[in-house]
Amino acid sequence: MKYKFLILTMVLLVLSLSSAYAGNSLRLGTAGAQELLIPYGSRGTAMGGAVLSTTYGIEAMYWNPAGLSSLEGTEAAFTHLPYIADIDVNFVGIATAIEGFGTIGFGAKVVSIGEIEETTEDMPDGTGRYFDPSLTVLNVTYAREFTANVSFGVTAMFINENIAEASASGVAFDVGFIYRPRWYGLSLGLSIKNYGPEMAFDGIGFYQELDNRPVTPEAAKFDLPSSINIGVGYDFLDDGKNLANLSGNFRSNNYSEDYWQGGAEYVYDGKYALRAGYNFSNLDSNDDSQNDYLYGLSFGAGVTVPLAGVSLSFEYSWNETEVFDDRS
């Protein structure tokens, strides 16, 4: 009974926050810490992110921490993402299930932007100095199966942004549930992502002189790109050898338009997988000045092979992007 009450409370909270923080194009570009929105894990990205109720393993720490609760034993993962504008995103993580306690996982995501030449008002063509901005997100996740049907998870994240001689640090939290009614392969998921206090930059990079006096301006604070997510999954084929499912998500964003995600997956013999997905946003129709949503079609594949008593998985995903080159 207490788990049903907890789920009901979470649902009511999600519905109330959805009304208060529905997507709004007027807020576009006003939130910071955008690295929180960069996913890791090829399965989820290949399915367009529509894995809120079907995610599992280490990548669940990003999509919905409740999915980590289904992990058996220990899992480690490394992912590399050649992101837009020649930005590299690397992630490494490890998680383990502890009997009677739950599952705990740790991860580190590093966004490397590359070298940028310094320019000033007096030297607009460059000073000859270079700086290398880096964005880092460290996370710890705890997940547990309350019952055979209900899973819960929470992720705490430490955020650090280092740009030249200025930096900003903060914390954020993800909270999620997954409900599997054991009825025709149906699963339901919900999560609140990137909830946390404002951040602000500080450092000697803000130092300047005004009328021969040292001045250090105070940087404006910025909010995190939080969102509320609701998802559903359906295994329409599961005969032991073949598994196929469809899934969909709705994401209500605080600082951009809401969007929908759809995905499909086919797995043969638990080893070979094909996946596809699609993203759609209200931005396509509501804002004539920005009528192209950044992401669209996605697809991917994966293979799992046993080696010396350990299962190794190799995954690949590709994502269509507007304006920038497609990423994989």
Side-chain angles (χ1 to χ4, degrees):
M1 180 61 70
K2 63 180 179 180
Y3 301 131
K4 293 181 180 180
F5 176 77
L6 188 60
I7 294 172
L8 178 60
T9 302
M10 186 70 174
V11 170
L12 293 175
L13 177 62
V14 167
L15 293 177
S16 64
L17 290 176
S18 296
S19 300
Y21 298 106
N24 186 343
S25 60
L26 298 178
R27 295 172 175 167
L28 284 169
T30 61
Q34 295 294 302
E35 64 273 15
L36 291 172
L37 301 179
I38 302 176
Y40 49 82
S42 291
R43 178 179 181 267
T45 53
M47 296 177 66
V51 294
L52 191 70
S53 67
T54 63
T55 187
Y56 57 85
I58 282 182
E59 71 173 55
M61 295 194 295
Y62 174 82
W63 301 108
N64 185 347
L68 190 65
S69 65
S70 62
L71 180 68
E72 297 179 359
T74 300
E75 180 178 326
F78 170 77
T79 68
H80 172 71
L81 171 64
Y83 200 53
I84 56 179
D86 296 324
I87 297 172
D88 288 328
V89 183
N90 293 301
F91 169 81
V92 61
I94 186 169
T96 187
I98 303 173
E99 186 176 356
F101 174 75
T103 306
I104 190 165
F106 304 90
K109 176 170 61 177
V110 179
V111 181
S112 300
I113 297 176
E115 284 193 342
I116 299 176
E117 186 174 8
E118 179 187 59
T119 59
T120 66
E121 292 183 5
D122 297 329
M123 305 182 71
D125 295 326
T127 65
R129 295 177 57 194
Y130 291 82
F131 60 96
D132 188 358
S134 64
L135 314 173
T136 304
V137 180
L138 306 177
N139 75 269
V140 57
T141 298
Y142 172 74
R144 184 181 178 92
E145 291 184 343
F146 284 152
T147 69
N149 303 79
V150 180
S151 300
F152 165 80
V154 58
T155 293
M157 293 168 284
F158 172 75
I159 311 157
N160 180 260
E161 301 184 347
N162 197 331
I163 303 175
E165 296 173 326
S167 63
S169 298
V171 294
F173 299 90
D174 292 352
V175 180
F177 284 89
I178 293 178
Y179 175 57
R180 300 181 179 90
R182 311 287 177 174
W183 185 73
Y184 293 102
L186 185 68
S187 60
L188 304 171
L190 60 88
S191 70
I192 298 174
K193 291 181 63 62
N194 306 326
Y195 181 80
E198 296 174 320
M199 294 173 56
F201 277 93
D202 193 9
I204 62 174
F206 287 95
Y207 175 86
Q208 57 183 276
E209 290 190 2
L210 183 64
D211 296 331
N212 296 320
R213 293 181 302 164
V215 176
T216 304
E218 183 177 347
K221 295 181 178 181
F222 56 86
D223 292 322
L224 304 182
S226 52
S227 64
I228 298 163
N229 306 266
I230 302 173
V232 60
Y234 172 59
D235 296 337
F236 64 88
L237 173 64
D238 186 0
D239 62 7
K241 276 284 188 180
N242 301 279
L243 174 65
N245 65 70
L246 296 173
S247 56
N249 286 3
F250 170 70
R251 171 172 287 188
S252 179
N253 293 299
N254 288 14
Y255 292 93
S256 64
E257 286 289 358
D258 300 336
Y259 60 84
W260 291 261
Q261 302 163 304
E265 178 183 44
Y266 170 72
V267 181
Y268 175 73
D269 198 25
K271 300 176 181 178
Y272 311 100
L274 294 174
R275 305 170 180 121
Y278 188 77
N279 281 249
F280 173 78
S281 170
N282 282 340
L283 191 63
D284 293 329
S285 57
N286 289 350
D287 190 344
D288 292 335
S289 65
Q290 300 186 48
N291 56 10
D292 287 323
Y293 179 59
L294 182 59
Y295 303 120
L297 180 69
S298 60
F299 67 83
V303 59
T304 299
V305 295
L307 180 64
V310 176
S311 294
L312 296 179
S313 294
F314 301 91
E315 309 279 354
Y316 172 84
S317 64
W318 174 93
N319 203 144
E320 175 189 26
T321 58
E322 296 288 344
V323 184
F324 300 97
D325 293 335
D326 299 331
R327 60 194 179 97
S328 61

